[in-house]
Amino acid sequence: MIARARPLLGTLVSLSVDGVDETAAHAAIARGFAAIESIHRLMSFHEAASDVSRLNRDAHACWVTVAPATYRVLARAGEIAAATDGVFDITIAGRLVRWGFLPRPADAPAPQARATWRDIALAAPDRVRFGRPLWIDLGGIAKGYAVDAALAAMALPGTAQVVINAGGDVRVAGPAPERIVLRVPGHDAAQVPAVELMDGSIASSSGAEHARVHRGRQGRQVVGPHVHGRTRAPAGTRRFVSVLAPACIDADALTKVALVLGPRAAPTLRRFGATAYLHTARGGWRTLGAAP
């Protein structure tokens, strides 16, 4: 097996290949990392030249042309937002800035309080406009898309075994299952949960590790990096969830839906052919959505 790791997407990304010769494996891994690097540049909230930053700065005033990959992610984010009636909403960046999880965008007008995903207009194949000033953050979906894009760019035969892991967003392809350990905050170390994954994706999320106390207009709140898109309230600070889905972009986004809705996320999970393993300290484990 050939394996390499690199810091990208705000985490450590590892790519491993087995079942092909060493030269082919190294070339495929290089293509995979190149695809991830491209997604990172396009969809970073922090980089001034990214598509996300350009949209936050200019799209309220004019149509902005973006890369095809950015357009695809925005389109899928809109589909999931519509399916969840805004529980998943990429326009929550203003709240994350207020809570200190994201930096304030330079030269971008302040977002309007009532801005939502419904204010994002897409004109195929590559133009985007906002109906009012707002800030988007693709951190809840772009990492999963990058994993999918890496697998496609690697272009290996079906006989090759491939594992792509971007900080818990995992895509497995090939003839054998892989054991994926679920790193649940505060879980008994003697009983580490794991799942077997074959030709599919898994993504995990929890707000517990990054929860903090925020003192603002609403008083003292425990907040985390996940937000209920419709109410803009903190979400998932006491939950852990792993979502299995065919595509990692969906697994990544649907973890946020399951963190917000808990068991009420089951219909949405089934709609996308996904299964969630939800854990809370009080209730233990629950399986939601499609059959595992």
Side-chain angles (χ1 to χ4, degrees), residues 19 29 44 90 116 131 138 175 191 215 224 265-266:
I29 288 173
S44 171
I90 60 174
T116 72
L138 298 180
Q191 297 179 330
R215 292 176 175 83

Side-chain angles (χ1 to χ4, degrees), residues 255-274:
T255 60
K256 287 71 182 178
V257 177
L259 282 177
V260 171
L261 296 179
R264 290 179 293 129
T268 301
L269 292 162
R270 287 193 293 269
R271 175 172 177 171
F272 288 92

Side-chain angles (χ1 to χ4, degrees), residues 95-112:
R95 192 55 54 100
L96 294 176
V97 170
R98 183 185 304 176
W99 293 343
F101 290 101
L102 291 174
R104 184 181 178 87
D107 302 322
Q112 291 188 8

